[in-house]
């Protein structure tokens, strides 16, 4: 009977830990999800920034699995290079290890205070504050679960059955590795398993070598859920998650025979024996990141060979279900998903144009015409699909939503035309004639390119969530774009007056690209108009000046 109570307490504490992790992920995603996604996508333009982006995202979300799935979706849409994605996941792995190390520092006494603050925020009217409150409640439950785990594992010190089982595992490290891997896979959380190992190690029943082996298994098992989640996804996403699993598997296989030496080394380093699991967890991931980082290009090439590319789709709609037309809510949701796919195509076009511009390489431009044809076809299909709903069977809210969907699809199609017939031709002319912008002119255009892509990502989020604050923020960015375009034009004219040859040669290209990027941003910002108009904050497409 006593052993049953111990197991119930143990499983209950683990369940509370997993629930706390889920609450943190949910709260942070709702409060800062758009910013995290934008930061993760824009923070991968260099190796160090990629590593830091993965680290920060994982510490915030408390889930390397969530970071892996997010970055895999970005690779799928060509927002992040596969090589950078692998580095992001190395940062994510270290982020998980640092989180476990912080949790083990003995701050569980703060859980009542954090819980109180979380409850207060959760009861506020602001959705952002409610989401932040949810995240704080999750953190408090995580810390509370650590205390419960410690109490639950305390009776195990005197358990002969557990001592015999631990002795069996200590004599069969591969079995221990598999067991720990399975636990991390089933729980979808390497952090939860490491915390459980931490609680068991605090009782003194685990040897240093076995502790290291169990931590290795937790690391390996934590890399499996993203692979399973992307099995039905595109090849580009599967390559990222499978590559991360391979890196961890190689690291575990190399470290497994050395587990005894590593455990003894950590003990001899005058570190707290009770914190050995989190120290081993952090050391493993830091060393793995340092070793694997230089091989990320090789890993990306290897994954392209191991995972063949998907057959090219016909470019037709994926979500427009004719049978859903009898249910307007479902039909409008399907149309929304299809328009989001159009937005993803536009983003790919902009990124290809930007890559060609930055690298003086014509090859990224070759796919733009094909992507534009897909955009034209899909936006036409969306308009036909939504028009079949008619006005008779829709209430006022559904009628307004149908108009918003069609308007956004049309604006995206206009952006595609500008990219194909404007930016693409201008960049091709620059590369073909061997022209070079002045250093100042190049930086001005590059900054506006980056801002345009960031604005499109925000617009995609607004289109789905109808978030008022994001809509207002995007509307205010329109003023920034206008200011950047004006300042760049004025500086360009100053360089012309100064007689700078590089500015003279590229004058028309510079001004044309500024004009087209400004036009694209105008179409992007249009997604915010209906939301602000409903709130009475829009007068002739401008924000009221009296609103702060």
């Amino acid at each position: 009977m006593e052993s049953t109570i111990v197991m119930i307490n143990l499983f209950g504490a683990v369940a509370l830990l997993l629930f706390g992790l889920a609450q943190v992920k949910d709260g942070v995603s709702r409060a800062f999800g758009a910013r995290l996604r934008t930061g993760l996508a824009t923070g991968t333009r260099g190796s160090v920034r990629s590593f830091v982006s993965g680290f920060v995202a994982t510490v915030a979300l408390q889930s390397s699995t969530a970071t892996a799935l997010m970055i895999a979706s970005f690779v799928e849409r060509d927002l992040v290079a596969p090589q950078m994605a692998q580095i992001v996941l190395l940062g994510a792995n270290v982020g998980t290890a640092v989180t476990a190390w912080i949790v083990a520092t003995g701050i569980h006494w703060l859980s009542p205070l954090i819980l109180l603050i979380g409850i207060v925020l959760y009861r506020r009217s602001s959705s952002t504050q409610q989401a932040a409150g949810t995240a704080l409640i999750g953190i408090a439950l995580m810390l509370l679960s650590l205390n419960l785990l410690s109490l639950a594992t305390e009776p195990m010190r005197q358990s002969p059955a557990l001592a015999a089982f631990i002795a069996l595992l200590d004599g069969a490290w591969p079995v221990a590795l598999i067991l720990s891997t399975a636990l991390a896979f089933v729980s979808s959380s390497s952090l939860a398993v490491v915390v459980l190992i931490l609680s068991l190690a605090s009782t003194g029943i685990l040897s240093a070598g076995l502790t290291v082996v169990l931590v290795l298994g937790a690391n390996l098992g934590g890399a499996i859920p993203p692979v399973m989640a992307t099995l039905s996804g595109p090849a580009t996403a599967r390559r990222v998650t499978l590559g991360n699993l391979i890196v961890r598997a190689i690291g575990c296989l190399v470290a497994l025979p050395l587990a005894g030496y590593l455990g003894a080394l950590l003990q001899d380093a005058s570190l707290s024996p009770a914190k050995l699991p989190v120290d081993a967890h952090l050391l493993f991931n830091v060393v793995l990141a340092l070793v694997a980082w230089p091989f990320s290009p090789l890993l990306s090439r290897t994954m392209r060979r191991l995972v063949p590319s998907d057959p090219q789709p016909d470019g037709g709609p994926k979500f427009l279900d004719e049978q859903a037309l009898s249910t307007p809510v479902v039909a409008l949701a399907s149309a929304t998903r299809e328009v989001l796919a159009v937005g993803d195509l536009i983003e790919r076009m902009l990124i290809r144009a930007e890559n060609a511009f930055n690298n003086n390489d014509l090859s990224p431009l070759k796919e733009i015409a094909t992507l534009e044809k897909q955009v034209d076809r899909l936006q036409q299909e969306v308009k036909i699909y939504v028009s079949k709903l008619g006005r008779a069977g829709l209430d006022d809210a559904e009628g307004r939503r149908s108009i918003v969907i069609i308007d956004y699809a049309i604006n995206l199609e206009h952006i595609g035309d500008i990219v194909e017939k404007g930016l693409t031709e201008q960049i091709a002319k620059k590369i073909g004639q061997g022209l070079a912008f002045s250093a100042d002119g190049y930086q001005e255009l590059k900054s506006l390119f980056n801002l345009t892509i960031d604005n499109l990502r925000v617009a995609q989020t607004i289109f789905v969530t109808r978030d008022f604050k994001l809509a207002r923020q995007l509307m205010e960015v329109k003023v920034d774009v206008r200011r950047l375009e004006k300042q760049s034009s004025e500086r360009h004219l100053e360089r012309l007056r100064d007689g700078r040859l590089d500015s003279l040669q590229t004058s028309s290209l510079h001004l044309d690209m500024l004009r087209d990027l400004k036009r694209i941003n105008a179409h992007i910002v249009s997604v915010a108009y209906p939301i602000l108009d409903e709130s009475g904050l829009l007068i002739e497409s401008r924000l009221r000046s009296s609103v702060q």
Side-chain angles (χ1 to χ4, degrees), residues 229-246:
T230 56
L231 280 179
S232 58
T236 49
R238 297 199 305 273
R239 289 167 185 160
V240 173
T241 56
L242 183 59
N244 182 52
L245 176 60
I246 290 175

Side-chain angles (χ1 to χ4, degrees), residues 9 13 24 26 37 39 53 62 64 91 94 233 292 313 316 360 412 422 513:
N9 290 338
V24 174
D26 178 61
R37 285 190 291 272
S53 296
Q62 298 290 296
S64 58
V94 175
N360 279 327
L412 289 174
M513 289 185 69

